Amino acid sequence: MSRLVSPGALRLLAAGILLGLCPAAAGETDNSCIDCHTSLADKRLREPAVASKEDVHFRRGLFCHSCHGGNPARGYIENVPALAHSPGDGWQGVPKAREIPDFCAGCHGDVEYMKKYNPNLRVDQLLEYRSSQHGKLLVQGDEKVAQCVSCHGVHGILQAADSRSPVHRSNIPGTCGHCHADPGYMRDYSISTDQLAEYTRSVHGKLLLEEGDAAAPACNDCHGNHGATPLGLTSIAYACGECHALNRDLFNQSPHKAAYEEMELGECITCHGHHDIEKTSDEMIGVGDESMCITCHEEDDAGYHAAKFMRAQLDSLVAIIEEAARLLHRAERGGVDVKAGKFDLQKPMSALIRARGAVHHFDPRKLAEIVHPGIAQARIVEEVGEAALHDLKMRRVGLAFSIPIILLVALGLYLKIRRLESSPRSR
Amino acid sequence: MKPQPRKSARFYPWLDERLGLSAILEVARHKQVPQHQHSIWYYLGGMTLFLYLVQVVTGILLLLYYRPTAEAAFESVEFIMSEVPFGWLVRSIHSWSANLMIFFLFVHMFSVFFMKGYRKPREITWISGALLLFLCLAFGFSGYLLPWNRLAFFATKVGTDILGEIPIIGGFLLEWSRGGQEVCGATLTRFFGIHVAILPMVAALALSIHLVMVQKHGMSVPISIERSGKPIAQMPFFPNFALRDAIGWTLTLGLLVLLASIFPWELGQKADPLASAPAGIRPEWFFLFSFQTLKYIPGKIWFINGELLGIAGFGLGALALILVPFLDRRAQRNQRGKLVGAIGVVVLIYMIVFTVLGFVAE
Amino acid sequence: MNTDSTSNAISDSTGKVSRRSFLDLFLGGGIATLAAAAVYPVLRFITPPKLPEAIQSSVVAAKVGELKPNSGKIFRFGKEPGILVLTVSGKYRAFAATCTHLDCTVQYRPDLKEIWCACHNGHYDLNGKNVSGPPPAPLESYEVTVQGENIIVSKV
């Protein structure tokens, strides 16, 4: 993020202000950097100091001078603020964008040093970064690309687990999109800028950004963090397969694996897309207009028939489950208990879920092994539903039996009254 | 030797010697029902009584399986509806009959009111009848909660909230009716005790007084017919009127069976005290007119809380209902008068209109 | 002249039942049938049904000896499926068998010694905790009591 003012100008400005305006007394912290800078009028000099209070480094006792060098103590003791900036004390000032990765890696790449603070933290970020597209371009002199502070921030850095951090998982799409979704900024590069928009619409984006589901992938889960690269053809399948392992395994056993390799097609993304992955539906299988299969398969080739058959199997399972559920619902509405039926309906529903995954085998026979038992199980539920409806009918029969009896009794009473009152004695 | 009567024929004299049955039967044999252009309304009391008896029988049957705790009430009703043989029939009849009973009760009350059957010497009959009306409304309110479903839970909450608005005693009434501050399992148990023990006991008492008074004084005849001087035709109660009553009861039984089979009473979802109220909570139809009225009253009239005024109004209305025999001076003197009848018509129209509004208004 | 109300009494020498007592017979028969049609449901009603309890707060899931160590069994708990597992070390564990991902019914995998969902490869450990795959939450845990030869599973 090299939108900073050029470091040289900054040094000049700082010196001028320090010489003129900085108060010399000790403040709330024992850190003269913070005390001095937070009272400066210039926002650009004040804000880093203000933000630093929350900074993860600050909280571990690593203050301004830990990165910038210099000696804050001299700012108080000798009452000459400029001495805090003395190059003799290692004052480095503001690093250039090009220098930042090495600057940060000075500590973060030092195993022994980092062990003191958190043995679990990785120390190979610089190595990864150098391998990334960002890293390669930076070395060549392109200062527009991302380096450490572009994503992590510079003062007020928060840990990735902190939801306010720009590298917290729910914020990552926005952080990457800050550049990658800005067509103006990206005009010198030959990559598209619609990834963020596509991702936000996608099933992963909705899960992460709307539902807050931490299981959903953000940019870094597929592209990597520091070693961010566009994915190669084979690595795409591995990336998807990290979570979607079952589908990956099935696909690898399917005839598509060899075919895609030969045709140099991306494995998962050819049908599912990459940033704009939509919720799957049965429409994707088969030979209909919406299906993926007809993209490659021509009418009457083996794959065409297989697709048609598989779709037909899924459809028949869905149809019989829906019919069974409908029967149960009708019975329930009529007042008959259908608990047993609902229990049994879980089996064919499980079969349907497994079948939809098993599609990735692209083998109708293997699919049939799951679908046929599912259909049989759904048939059983249908029978339960029919029995419940039969119960309902029996109630109607009971009603048809009792109502005439009641009417006949009423009629008999009426005739009895007439008989009684037609005889003279009742007058 | 004189032939001995058969064993069965000796049974009646044995009972009679001990119970004094023949005296009762003598009275019954002489019971007459006046016949005139309005005597069709005489059947309504018996109809209400029949439906009450249906409630008692079906209620006792339901008692064999129902469980009055928040954890089990809903499930026990579900159990009755699904596992118990003919449970669906008993429960649906109980629910339908409750509504029919209250409907016929209102029609019976209004018919007696318009015929001024409350005038001397039938004041006690009227007062016991008014008491029976309130008891049946209490039966309806307490029974509605017992399945412990969502609608009933919130209807009870709203209803007891209104109780709580009554000045001075409101707080006590609310806590006493709910068995606590909130509607909870304690409320259910309490309503159950009220519904199956307290109310039946009081109702049995009120009903006995009511029926004995009816037997003692016979059916009242509208003032105009009484004063016309013409002899009033009479029909013997046994067997003529009784048989006609029986037709009505038989057909009502048929209606109940039909309703229970074609329109089984719903159970809905189990009450969840933590869930928010579903939209469109309303009380049962027989409370709807008062509920709707309270909705329309502005928040404040002058400096008095609007809802309080509404409740006071209904309280006064109930009191007026009980005291009708003493308020209608002309009727006391057996004089025809249009005022009380006209007020009754206005009240009836108001109740009908506001009940309809309660159903159709948003 | 016979003005008796019993003028329609049985008088026919052929013994044909008169209209009046036919009516009585008809009415009596109708009332008797109605009474029977009313009493029959009441009698059936008060006969306890097969499932005597309304709430299924516990159920006999299996008999002792039915399960071998390191195996599991699906049983019905009310209207939901449950899974009973006998671990290698001889302990009984029981859980709701509805996967917390998309409601498939889970199963016991003796090779993994875990509970597994076939639909999307979800894994649960023998405490019911979701340890791998898509399930977002653990399986509901049940209590297991051995009473005589019955293994009784009840809600906690």
Side-chain angles (χ1 to χ4, degrees), chain A residues 245-246 339-340 343 346 350 353-354 405-406 408-409 411-413 415-416 419 423-425, chain C residues 3 5 8 19 23-24 26-27 30-31 33-34 76 79-81 102 104-105 118-120:
Chain A
L246 198 65
K339 278 201 298 273
F343 177 79
Q346 283 166 347
S350 296
I353 292 178
R354 285 202 331 270
I405 298 183
I406 287 173
L408 283 175
V409 168
L411 178 68
L413 287 168
L415 291 176
K416 180 79 181 175
R419 173 71 46 215
S423 71
R425 206 168 69 166
Chain C
T3 54
S5 62
N8 295 330
R19 276 188 4 237
L23 182 58
D24 285 343
F26 174 75
L27 187 58
I31 292 176
T33 315
L34 185 58
R76 191 172 141 192
K79 54 178 167 194
E80 306 292 327
L102 287 179
C104 291
T105 304
C119 289
H120 299 98

Side-chain angles (χ1 to χ4, degrees), chain B residues 280-285 287-293 295-296 350-362:
Chain B
I281 292 285
R282 358 173 247 255
E284 308 140 87
W285 64 271
F287 287 125
L288 209 51
F289 74 93
S290 47
F291 185 67
Q292 196 66 15
T293 311
K295 272 203 200 169
Y296 287 153
Y350 152 72
M351 284 169 69
I352 293 177
V353 167
F354 272 71
T355 306
V356 169
L357 275 176
F359 275 112
V360 303
E362 227 50 43

